[in-house]
Amino acid sequence: ATLERIIRDGHSAAEVVRRIRALFKEAAPVKALVDINQLVAEVLRVLSDELRDNGITAETDLEAHRPMVGADHVQIQQTLINLVHNAMEAMGGLMDRPKSIVLTSRRQGEELIIQVRDHGVGIKDSALVFEPFFTTKESGMGMGLSICRSIVEAHGGRIWATANEDVGTTFSFTLPLASERSA
C-alpha cells in the first residue's frame, strides 16, 4: 500500500509540474467540470498529516449545491494546496491562540468564491504578495502566489488577499460557474 501511494504521489507530482510548465508556456488549461467542494475535501485529505503535525484544525463551510466550475483540476488543486500551505506557515510560531484554517465556497452571481482564512500573523501589503519573487519567508522563492494568480486568471477568475478583522489573512479567488448546459 505504501509503494502504491508513493507511485501515485509521484505521478501526481509529475502531472503538477507538467501543467505548471504548460501554464508558463501560456497553454490553455485542460478544463473539465470540477466540483470545488470535492476538490477542497481532496486537498484537506492530502494535507491532513501536515495539518495534524502542526496542530492546525481545518474547517469547511462549503456551498451546499454542488458548485461546478470548468477548470483544470490539477491547477486549481495546486492553487488550494499553496494557499493552505501559506496559511499553515503564517501560523507556524503561534502559541497564544488556536491554530485554525477555514475553507469556504459560495456562489455570488455567475461566480464561485473560494476562500482560505487563517488566524496567523497577517500580511502588510496584500497587493504586493502576488508579485513574482516577493516573499516574507526566509526560504521562500516568492513564486507561489504569483503562480496562483496566473492559474486563477487563466481560468477567468481573480484572486486577492484581505486582512481579517481580528487576526490573520483571508485569501479569496473566484472562478466562473459552469453553465447549466455544460453540467
Side-chain angles (χ1 to χ4, degrees):
T2 301
L3 287 175
E4 287 175 5
R5 198 167 42 245
I6 290 169
I7 291 168
R8 184 192 67 227
D9 291 349
H11 288 301
S12 176
E15 184 64 14
V16 167
V17 169
R18 187 180 70 73
R19 297 254 176 108
I20 289 176
R21 287 183 72 205
L23 178 70
F24 284 117
K25 291 180 183 177
E26 296 187 16
V30 180
K31 292 184 179 179
L33 284 180
V34 174
D35 178 340
I36 288 294
N37 292 351
Q38 183 179 339
L39 190 58
V40 166
E42 284 176 24
V43 166
L44 291 177
R45 269 194 309 276
V46 166
L47 298 175
S48 63
D49 290 345
E50 201 171 341
L51 288 162
R52 185 194 64 238
D53 292 348
N54 286 290
I56 299 171
T57 59
E59 302 171 29
T60 58
D61 180 12
L62 304 175
E63 174 71 33
H65 306 286
R66 290 185 62 212
M68 303 297 282
V69 295
D72 184 312
H73 183 274
V74 171
Q75 288 184 359
I76 300 303
Q77 181 183 51
Q78 193 58 41
T79 298
L80 281 168
I81 286 172
N82 190 55
L83 293 176
V84 172
H85 265 152
N86 284 355
M88 287 192 291
E89 289 175 355
M91 295 183 291
L94 294 182
M95 302 299 237
D96 61 336
R97 60 183 173 262
K99 299 177 187 179
S100 67
I101 298 171
V102 180
L103 287 89
T104 63
S105 67
R106 71 177 188 283
R107 292 175 193 260
Q108 185 171 22
E110 298 300 312
E111 293 181 318
L112 186 68
I113 298 177
I114 301 97
Q115 296 182 310
V116 177
R117 176 187 172 100
D118 68 56
H119 294 94
V121 295
I123 55 175
K124 289 184 175 76
D125 190 336
S126 61
L128 198 57
V129 297
F130 294 100
E131 292 301 316
F133 307 113
F134 176 82
T135 185
T136 58
K137 304 171 197 167
E138 281 184 31
S139 62
M141 289 182 9
M143 292 304 295
L145 290 173
S146 178
I147 291 171
C148 289
R149 181 177 62 187
S150 296
I151 289 171
V152 169
E153 289 177 355
H155 282 79
R158 60 193 193 291
I159 187 168
W160 66 96
T162 52
N164 298 337
E165 287 183 19
D166 50 0
V167 292
T169 304
T170 298
F171 282 85
S172 307
F173 67 97
T174 62
L175 295 172
L177 285 162
S179 67
E180 294 298 320
R181 283 172 272 131
S182 61

